[in-house]
Amino acid sequence: MPLPNFALGTVSLDGGTRAVLLSNGKLLVLDSVVDQLGSTAPISTRDVLDAWDRLLPVLKSLVASGEGEWVPLSDATVLAPVDPRQIVQAGANYRTHVIDLAVKHADIANGRTEEQVRAETAEMMDKRAAEGDPYFFVGLPSAVTGPYDTVTLPAGTHKNDWELELVAVVGRRAHQLSRDDALDAIAGYTIANDLTTRELVFRRDMPEIGTDWLRAKNAPGFLPLGPWIVPRDDAGAISEMRLTLELDGKTMQDESTEDMLFDVAALVSAVSQTVQLLPGDLILTGSPAGNGMHWGRLLRNGDVMYSTITGLGYQQTPVVAAS
């Protein structure tokens, strides 16, 4: 899998955690150039994002000059690229995914066909995209883990699912952004796999309360993140990115961001109407069709997920059952 040409990240190196810049397969240790960055060591990726507009040109110049301590990527262990303050997650944002879910949960009876359900849901989704608003919920930073870390399934659970997502990483403090200005607040993009325990989504004791995303999505390690934050202008066309997840070599998700009901600018603008966005915050943009519930195949002990998004690198996530 090709590496990004220019990206920000966090690694374990020489017994410590280091913010790094990735370029041409090598890592610039940012602690070695704190004078040029106008900072002090140790510097974190969130420190860099706190001053993103000022530091991005400096980072570009450091790559061009070759200054600082550069080490091979193979010398480091790649961690989650940032420790976010806030995580906001968009739900039901891929048209085909929502249609598939509607078919799965529909009562196909009394002459009503699957084709009718698909057509009715597609019409609803088109109307929602034209007239509606995105749907958001909040995740916890404690669920974040690295892109190659092993995930342990919560004890006593049986319906754990994958949800590959494009993530927008905030690069400046922002509130109540217009759609036209929304992407200016984004530093770059990364990958997340928003794992979900399906049997915990709906409360059996309080069905009227709706979804319980806290329990369903925030177990330790349930948000593999990274490996890199690719700057906005280096990431390519976000409207044409391909999201692909393979489970033990079989392709389960394979969809373009073109299938989004609300694009990234619309999502960022919408969430900023309520949330005071801070540098390093994550905005997850929804997951495409092909989750485990669709296939009737959920995660189990010994599985390995391999996830990619165009231009952003890859994740490889082994799965083990709780002992």
Side-chain angles (χ1 to χ4, degrees):
M1 182 72 187
L3 291 168
N5 292 323
F6 179 80
L8 183 68
T10 302
V11 301
S12 177
L13 180 70
D14 297 332
T17 300
R18 305 282 185 263
V20 295
L21 198 64
L22 171 71
S23 180
N24 296 318
K26 293 186 176 182
L27 302 176
L28 170 61
V29 180
L30 295 186
D31 280 351
S32 71
V33 289
V34 289
D35 289 344
Q36 293 92 319
L37 297 176
S39 185
T40 57
I43 188 171
S44 68
T45 54
R46 203 166 78 186
D47 294 332
V48 174
L49 292 166
D50 278 336
W52 183 249
D53 290 337
R54 177 178 66 83
L55 290 183
L56 180 58
V58 180
L59 296 174
K60 295 276 190 180
S61 69
L62 289 169
V63 169
S65 68
E67 294 179 66
E69 177 190 357
W70 290 83
V71 299
L73 176 58
S74 58
D75 286 357
T77 299
V78 179
L79 307 176
V82 67
D83 179 17
R85 296 177 177 94
Q86 304 180 113
I87 302 172
V88 183
Q89 298 163 267
N93 194 43
Y94 277 78
R95 189 174 186 273
T96 304
H97 182 202
V98 177
I99 293 170
D100 285 349
L101 288 175
V103 169
K104 186 168 185 63
H105 294 290
D107 181 13
I108 307 296
N110 299 322
R112 195 163 182 245
T113 66
E114 178 178 322
E115 289 72 22
Q116 286 175 316
V117 174
R118 286 189 175 277
E120 291 166 4
T121 308
E123 184 177 354
M124 289 170 54
M125 290 303 98
D126 291 342
K127 183 175 182 180
R128 178 173 172 238
E131 303 174 5
D133 296 311
Y135 170 65
F136 296 105
F137 49 92
V138 177
L140 297 180
S142 60
V144 171
T145 193
Y148 312 122
D149 292 344
T150 297
V151 169
T152 300
L153 303 178
T157 64
H158 305 283
K159 295 182 179 180
N160 294 287
D161 207 343
W162 56 85
E163 294 193 29
L164 179 59
E165 304 200 24
L166 172 67
V167 181
V169 182
V170 177
R172 65 173 66 158
R173 184 179 291 264
H175 188 224
Q176 296 185 335
L177 297 164
S178 70
R179 190 185 182 286
D180 290 341
D181 294 334
L183 294 186
D184 290 340
I186 298 305
Y189 300 95
T190 191
I191 303 171
N193 190 349
D194 179 27
L195 302 178
T196 305
T197 303
R198 296 295 180 191
E199 66 259 48
L200 298 180
V201 172
F202 297 102
R203 295 287 295 258
R204 294 181 180 179
D205 58 336
M206 295 182 68
E208 66 276 9
I209 206 169
T211 50
D212 187 347
W213 296 124
L214 177 70
R215 294 195 306 164
K217 289 181 173 288
N218 288 287
F222 253 41
L223 193 67
L225 185 71
W228 311 106
I229 298 170
V230 180
R232 184 180 71 235
D233 292 340
D234 296 273
I238 57 171
S239 62
E240 300 173 1
M241 288 181 169
R242 196 97 200 157
L243 292 78
T244 305
L245 184 143
E246 296 179 358
L247 181 68
D248 296 332
K250 180 180 178 181
T251 299
M252 311 303 274
Q253 290 184 286
D254 186 17
E255 186 60 81
S256 167
T257 49
E258 290 179 317
D259 198 46
M260 283 185 178
L261 294 169
F262 301 97
D263 64 15
V264 177
L267 293 173
V268 174
S269 173
V271 77
S272 78
Q273 302 310 308
T274 300
V275 178
Q276 170 72 70
L277 296 174
L278 304 171
D281 288 354
L282 308 179
I283 302 174
L284 278 64
T285 61
S287 188
N291 301 125
M293 290 295 287
H294 168 77
W295 295 107
R297 163 67 161 93
L298 284 303
L299 292 171
R300 56 197 183 209
N301 186 55
D303 283 342
V304 178
M305 293 176 285
Y306 184 90
S307 311
T308 67
I309 299 180
T310 308
L312 303 183
Y314 73 95
Q315 296 185 353
Q316 186 165 313
T317 307
V319 175
V320 298
S323 57

